[in-house]
C-alpha cells in the first residue's frame, strides 16, 4: 500500500519496560529479524510486547504439558470384597480398602495452551511471522538494511523454578 503511513526507524526498538523477563528474551531473539524488514518499529512496541508475553505463557504451558501430559487421574477408594461379596477385614479390624481410578481429568494448561495458540496465530500474522502472512507483505528491498544493533543471539527459553 503506497499510502500506508511508514514510521521512520533506523534502530531496533528496545523492549517495553513492562515486559516480563521471559518475554524480553523472546523480544531480543525476534526483534533483530523483524526490524530490518520494517515489520517492527517503535510504534509496534505494545503489540509486539503482547506477542512476546503470549508466547512466553504459551511456552510455559507447553513445558508443563510435556512434563505432565494432558490429563491426570482422579482416584477413589472402595472396599475390598471377598469371593462371597462380603467386605474383607484387615487384622486391625478395619475394612480393607483399595484405590481405583474413578475419572481422568484434563489439566487446565491444555485449554490455556489451545487458547494461547489461537492468539499467537493471530499476532504472528500481524508481524509477518508465518509463510502465508509474509507472502502478502510487499517490502521495498532498497530500504531494507542490516540492523546496526543486530545481535547474533540464539533464542533460548529458560524454564524457571
Amino acid at each position: 500500500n503506497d499510502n500506508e503511513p511508514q514510521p521512520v526507524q533506523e534502530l531496533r526498538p528496545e523492549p517495553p519496560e513492562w515486559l516480563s523477563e521471559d518475554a524480553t528474551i523472546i523480544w531480543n531473539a525476534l526483534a533483530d529479524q523483524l526490524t530490518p524488514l520494517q515489520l517492527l518499529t517503535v510504534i509496534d512496541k505494545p503489540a509486539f510486547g503482547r506477542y512476546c508475553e503470549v508466547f512466553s505463557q504459551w511456552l510455559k504451558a507447553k513445558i508443563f504439558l510435556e512434563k505432565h501430559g494432558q490429563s491426570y487421574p482422579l482416584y477413589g477408594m472402595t472396599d475390598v470384597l471377598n469371593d462371597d461379596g462380603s467386605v474383607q477385614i484387615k487384622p486391625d479390624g478395619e475394612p480393607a480398602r483399595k484405590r481405583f481410578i474413578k475419572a481422568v481429568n484434563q489439566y487446565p494448561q491444555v485449554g490455556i495452551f489451545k487458547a494461547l495458540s489461537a492468539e499467537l496465530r493471530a499476532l504472528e500474522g500481524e508481524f509477518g511471522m508465518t509463510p502465508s502472512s509474509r507472502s502478502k507483505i510487499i517490502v521495498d528491498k532498497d530500504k531494507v538494511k542490516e540492523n546496526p544493533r543486530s545481535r547474533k543471539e540464539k533464542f533460548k527459553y529458560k524454564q524457571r523454578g
Side-chain angles (χ1 to χ4, degrees), residues 59-127:
L59 281 172
K60 289 175 186 174
K62 180 183 183 304
I63 289 166
F64 178 91
L65 293 171
E66 286 175 348
K67 182 176 180 181
H68 300 285
Q70 294 191 16
S71 60
Y72 60 95
L74 287 179
Y75 293 98
M77 296 295 287
T78 188
D79 293 330
V80 177
L81 302 179
N82 294 314
D83 291 338
D84 65 1
S86 63
V87 175
Q88 215 176 69
I89 303 297
K90 299 189 297 186
D92 65 1
E94 294 293 319
R97 310 224 353 122
K98 66 179 178 181
R99 189 168 86 155
F100 70 99
I101 296 174
K102 65 179 184 177
V104 177
N105 279 359
Q106 191 176 63
Y107 282 112
Q109 286 82 352
V110 173
I112 292 167
F113 181 82
K114 289 178 180 178
L116 293 174
S117 292
E119 194 171 343
L120 281 174
R121 270 191 300 278
L123 289 167
E124 287 164 347
E126 294 295 317
F127 288 98

Side-chain angles (χ1 to χ4, degrees), residues 17-151:
E17 290 182 16
W18 48 263
L19 274 187
S20 68
E21 185 178 342
D22 291 336
T24 301
I25 292 168
I26 295 165
W27 177 288
N28 289 331
L30 297 176
D32 287 335
Q33 297 171 47
L34 296 173
T35 303
L37 299 173
Q38 300 170 358
L39 296 176
L40 177 63
T41 67
V42 73
I43 202 166
D44 304 313
K45 283 175 71 164
F48 189 62
R50 282 193 309 276
Y51 168 81
C52 295
E53 287 291 352
V54 170
F55 189 29
S56 169
Q57 294 303 310
W58 178 86
L59 281 172
K60 289 175 186 174
K62 180 183 183 304
I63 289 166
F64 178 91
L65 293 171
E66 286 175 348
K67 182 176 180 181
H68 300 285
Q70 294 191 16
S71 60
Y72 60 95
L74 287 179
Y75 293 98
M77 296 295 287
T78 188
D79 293 330
V80 177
L81 302 179
N82 294 314
D83 291 338
D84 65 1
S86 63
V87 175
Q88 215 176 69
I89 303 297
K90 299 189 297 186
D92 65 1
E94 294 293 319
R97 310 224 353 122
K98 66 179 178 181
R99 189 168 86 155
F100 70 99
I101 296 174
K102 65 179 184 177
V104 177
N105 279 359
Q106 191 176 63
Y107 282 112
Q109 286 82 352
V110 173
I112 292 167
F113 181 82
K114 289 178 180 178
L116 293 174
S117 292
E119 194 171 343
L120 281 174
R121 270 191 300 278
L123 289 167
E124 287 164 347
E126 294 295 317
F127 288 98
M129 296 171 71
T130 66
S132 170
S133 63
R134 273 192 305 279
S135 71
K136 298 171 187 162
I137 297 172
I138 300 169
V139 175
D140 184 349
K141 294 188 189 272
D142 295 332
K143 291 184 179 179
V144 174
K145 311 175 197 172
E146 181 64 30
N147 188 336
R149 291 181 39 206
S150 180
R151 298 180 186 134

